[in-house]
Amino acid sequence: MSKNVPHKLADPELDVIGPMLNRHDYGWSARFQGLILRTALQPIFSISHKRVVGYEALIRAFDTDNASVLPIHLFQLPTSEPENVLLDRLCRYLHVQNYSSFSDQVNWLFLNVSPTVVANGRHSDSFFGRLLERTGLSPHRIVVEIVEQPTDDSRQLKNTVAYYKSLGCLTAIDDFGAGHSNFERIWNLSPDIVKLDRTLLTRATNDKKARQILNGIVSLLHQSGCLVLLEGVETHGQAMIAIDAGVDFVQGFYFCKPTLDFEGIHRNVSDLERLLTDYKSRNRVQLDPTQQISDFFGGYFHSAVDQLRLGAGLEVSCKNLLGHHTVSRCYLIDANGVQIDNTLIASTSASRLDPRFLPLENTLSADWYRQHYLKQALAQPDRIQVTRPYLSIAGANMCVTLSLAYYHNGSLTVLCCDILTQ
């Protein structure tokens, strides 16, 4: 093959690649080094919309006996940079040609772009704009997926992404959370969509802490202005994790496997309506853990506040509260967020204090005004507020905090109680 490829590919190369495609009853195929290439589509779902919003185009290769050839073997065939670029263009030409005649005329087509093409920059891929013009596929229906790779020229990568955006395409960073992914790349390239690598989901499946990290990553990406897609969802449990993490889109074998059968692509898709119903049912049965905590400790907490209103000291008022084995500490905060007096530490917690974090234990006059639990309490006096689990800087423990603002001598004071979650 290499002898038929010029040292420097022409731009555009539609007239060279076009004859490599063939039309059949099932759609278009292409030939490359004796292999037959076809397009497989895998649906991408919006959880909120409960339907397909796009499809990722994947290449499938077959030998002369119609035996399947692994994609990794296909992409090992090129022996030069021009051949790599040619194969990348051929795959995208094939995908766009097939999708142009696909019955779905609304949703996105997700296309992978070779890191080699991205590194070569705008001039090397101006072919893509010509391809869209020739096939008539609207640029706004294309999501260009860029696999994160180390690059010597971040400016060139940024210019290349800007080129796809100038065409009217959306851009996506693929495999975020693995390899060379980092938030600096997100801030530099400002992609429309970020695809989370499946390893994040695999870890979250087996590790509760990893699940919290996944939720945090999704939140940060949303704050960065990106929609989030979680790929590699293979089980019902992983689908529940995806919903709970707050991702926008999901993709994976659980919902639908990649298929060459475009007409029957929706026959075996997962029912998102039933999935969300199951998610809601599970949450109703299990209840919000913060509500459970509020219900369980409510009596202790209100009793402590009643005694504080009557003028009793913190130690006397919180004696019963501190007697529970999960309660680690109680403390008072004024309306300005400044802690009043020392923190009361439960005897069970005192014996478990980690000496490595001793510098954090003294919280006299600490300012907690930034804490969400304080702002909520001050905004809604006489109502118990309960946080989600978080890492407390006082002792570096995972905990939830109960807080309640009450009036005493005309001023608002907030009683807080930390409950260990680990």
Side-chain angles (χ1 to χ4, degrees):
M1 180 67 193
S2 57
K3 65 181 180 180
N4 296 323
V5 179
H7 179 68
K8 184 175 182 181
L9 292 173
D11 186 21
E13 197 162 39
L14 296 177
D15 294 335
V16 173
I17 298 176
M20 301 171 71
L21 272 64
N22 298 289
R23 189 166 191 173
H24 310 271
D25 292 339
Y26 59 74
W28 292 84
S29 71
R31 288 189 172 273
F32 183 80
Q33 295 201 19
L35 298 180
I36 298 173
L37 309 184
R38 294 183 60 185
T39 297
L41 296 179
Q42 184 174 32
I44 292 169
F45 297 82
S46 165
I47 294 175
S48 297
H49 293 83
K50 297 179 290 188
R51 59 174 172 80
V52 174
V53 293
Y55 306 84
E56 181 173 3
L58 302 165
I59 202 69
R60 293 293 182 261
F62 303 88
D63 62 19
T64 53
D65 295 324
N66 203 34
S68 179
V69 176
L70 292 175
I72 190 172
H73 294 155
L74 168 65
F75 290 106
Q76 287 174 345
L77 290 178
T79 58
S80 65
E81 182 178 309
E83 281 191 358
N84 271 315
V85 174
L86 178 62
L87 178 57
D88 176 82
R89 291 182 178 184
L90 177 61
C91 290
R92 281 189 286 156
Y93 196 140
L94 176 64
H95 295 327
V96 169
Q97 191 71 63
N98 274 313
Y99 201 66
S100 297
S101 56
F102 186 45
S103 57
D104 189 326
Q105 297 297 310
V106 175
N107 294 318
W108 295 315
L109 174 66
F110 285 68
L111 286 176
N112 291 284
V113 177
S114 163
T116 301
V117 171
V118 172
N120 283 338
R122 171 174 180 162
H123 177 73
S124 176
D125 208 36
S126 60
F127 138 92
F128 191 60
R130 303 290 184 91
L131 172 61
L132 297 181
E133 290 178 3
R134 176 172 291 192
T135 58
L137 186 61
S138 298
H140 67 261
R141 296 188 58 206
I142 300 290
V143 180
V144 177
E145 291 189 36
I146 299 168
V147 179
E148 289 204 290
Q149 296 285 338
T151 176
D152 295 328
D153 191 346
S154 58
R155 183 187 296 270
Q156 182 64 69
L157 178 60
K158 187 173 184 178
N159 290 339
T160 304
V161 171
Y163 165 67
Y164 291 121
K165 290 185 176 183
S166 72
L167 292 178
C169 302
L170 287 85
T171 58
I173 292 294
D174 197 10
D175 295 338
F176 184 84
H180 305 278
S181 60
N182 57 67
F183 276 97
E184 184 176 355
R185 185 72 57 87
I186 300 298
W187 298 323
N188 188 44
L189 300 180
S190 299
D192 301 289
I193 299 172
V194 174
K195 295 187 71 173
L196 300 180
D197 187 76
R198 66 190 65 204
T199 57
L200 290 173
L201 179 57
T202 301
R203 290 172 183 165
T205 304
N206 304 310
D207 185 345
K208 188 174 294 186
K209 185 178 292 186
R211 192 175 304 181
Q212 293 171 350
I213 292 173
L214 172 63
N215 295 358
I217 289 173
V218 172
S219 177
L220 284 172
L221 289 171
H222 281 156
Q223 292 177 50
S224 298
C226 305
L227 295 170
V228 182
L229 190 161
L230 184 58
E231 58 184 353
V233 181
E234 297 186 352
T235 67
H236 184 272
Q238 290 180 339
M240 292 289 113
I241 291 173
I243 295 173
D244 198 53
V247 301
D248 305 287
F249 313 121
V250 284
Q251 177 184 1
F253 285 7
Y254 176 77
F255 299 99
C256 186
K257 295 181 179 180
T259 179
L260 299 168
D261 179 13
F262 298 170
E263 295 302 319
I265 197 168
H266 296 124
R267 289 177 193 153
N268 299 312
V269 300
S270 181
D271 185 348
L272 264 76
E273 183 75 54
R274 190 168 71 175
L275 185 67
L276 284 168
T277 298
D278 187 21
Y279 176 76
K280 294 173 187 177
S281 176
R282 285 190 177 196
N283 277 265
R284 290 191 189 103
V285 171
Q286 297 174 359
L287 295 178
D288 183 345
T290 60
Q291 185 61 49
Q292 290 179 304
I293 291 171
S294 178
D295 291 343
F296 184 85
F297 287 99
Y300 295 105
F301 210 72
H302 282 292
S303 176
V305 169
D306 289 341
Q307 292 186 67
L308 287 167
R309 280 197 178 107
L310 294 173
L314 183 63
E315 186 171 0
V316 172
S317 301
C318 295
K319 181 178 180 180
N320 290 335
L321 190 58
L322 286 167
H324 194 275
H325 68 278
T326 63
V327 175
S328 65
R329 64 192 72 222
C330 293
Y331 46 101
L332 292 173
I333 305 175
D334 67 22
N336 291 318
V338 178
Q339 183 166 329
I340 304 170
D341 297 329
N342 289 305
T343 296
L344 282 180
I345 299 177
S347 57
T348 53
S349 293
S351 63
R352 297 197 303 261
L353 291 178
D354 189 336
R356 296 176 302 163
F357 296 103
L358 187 61
L360 304 178
E361 289 297 336
N362 187 350
T363 54
L364 180 63
S365 299
D367 195 321
W368 304 114
Y369 191 77
R370 296 176 299 163
Q371 300 301 320
H372 191 53
Y373 60 79
L374 177 67
K375 295 178 180 179
Q376 286 185 313
L378 291 173
Q380 302 179 70
D382 297 318
R383 291 187 60 180
I384 293 180
Q385 307 296 327
V386 186
T387 68
R388 289 197 168 203
Y390 72 100
L391 184 66
S392 170
I393 193 173
N397 298 307
M398 289 300 297
C399 71
V400 297
T401 296
L402 277 69
S403 58
L404 186 147
Y406 64 94
Y407 283 97
H408 181 61
N409 295 331
S411 300
L412 268 179
T413 303
V414 182
L415 172 63
C416 298
C417 167
D418 290 351
I419 298 172
L420 298 177
T421 59
Q422 290 182 344

